[in-house]
Amino acid sequence: MKKTIRKVLVINSGSSSLKYQLFDMKNEERLAKGLVERIGAGGPANHAEALKQVVADLGNPTDIDAIGHRVLHGAEVFKDSAKVTKSVMTQLKKLVKFGPLHMPPNLGGIEACEKIFKGVPNVAVFDTAFHQTMPDCAAMYAIDPKYYKKMGIRKYGFHGTSHKFVTQAAAKFLKKPLSKVNLVTCHLGNGSSLAAIKNGQVVDTSMGLTPLAGMVMGTRCGDIDAAAILSIMEAEGKTPAEMDKMLNKASGLQGLTGVNGGDCRDICAKAAKGDKQCELALEMLAYRVAFYVGGYNTIIGGADAIIMSGGIGENSTEVRERIIKRLAGLGIKLDKAANKKSHGVVAVISTKDSKIPVVVLPTNEELMIAKDTVRVLG
Ligand code: ADP
């Protein structure tokens, strides 16, 4: 008989940090949560050493049944979470080119677990997997298809674990079967993306080959004319690596305002004091979200609800108000009082007569990873 999977460790292994959460899946309760920082930079020498610290922090547990890992990119190979076997690991290593910064530490975390938790199954849960139901008309770029064939250049999408979690939660909240639910899900945090969900499946999403596309984010520019990038490179003699850094780490809300990290709270505070660039940045953010909501609402043939999640979507009364004001054309109306008091909890923030409800749904990517781990092994 198969052993019931009860205790699941969730690992998010990044280049210099390792985050973990431990769940008891009997009641989906979180038992522990922690972070090991400065891996290879003054802290633990590598991910195996970092994991040893996690084991010590957890009091040397012997009852962990399975480990779920956040993995950035599954490309077209992994359309669902996968139990890690030798052949899966071989395939994963071939996907490093899709995420040269994130994939090596993601895989390093898995290898460390194989060594330290001998015999405990590992499951890879991909940020891209939930989006792999997109039709070609949404996923392909309008360039010579040889680049798709040779290099896999197309839209993949990210934050899939979060969009999946809120899609399932929204179906429950709306009392609709998952296979019938139509949504626009907005994950608005440091990184932000929207997804168009038709009959419980993704039909489009705003991030692309990499997480750089779509929304105006904390430090990423989002959608931009590719020719603008070429012009800057030419004028300033920037290398692709320098340009990558500028667009991913020094653009978006930070680039527009100079506020470090593009933290939305700081920008809201400065805008309230009359800072014009901060005001513009918030309006650009809200405009872009509303623009995509309109398009996605059309593509899915009308949403049952618009879902707000992520640090900004769950907490920022001000940004939500700016977005929802711009959705009046869809008959969406803000309930100001509900919007004001809803922080990090499930709440409807539209009025009763709003044509489409707007629902705040806190995301929980770690729990989704744990649930997927149980499902894949079950
Ligand atoms: P990540 O993408 O790194 O997971 P989060 O989802 O935690 O990020 O979102 C971080 C963003 O959420 C920051 O811009 C932060 O300012 C914003 N945020 C968090 N809490 C609030 C709040 N109470 N009001 C406004 N913005 C908030």
Side-chain angles (χ1 to χ4, degrees), residues 187-192 216-219 251-255 257-273 275 277-286 289 309-323:
H187 178 107
L188 308 174
N190 273 324
S192 299
V216 177
M217 307 181 219
T219 61
S251 299
L253 299 175
Q254 174 181 308
T257 64
V259 170
N260 198 20
D263 193 288
C264 208
R265 280 165 294 202
D266 299 344
I267 292 170
C268 287
K270 285 183 93 174
K273 288 196 184 132
D275 184 303
Q277 268 313 105
C278 287
E279 176 62 28
L280 173 65
L282 291 173
E283 280 306 296
M284 286 172 70
L285 186 164
V289 173
S309 71
I312 297 172
E314 291 165 27
N315 295 296
S316 182
T317 297
E318 178 165 355
V319 174
R320 289 187 309 222
E321 178 165 351
R322 285 177 190 254
I323 295 169

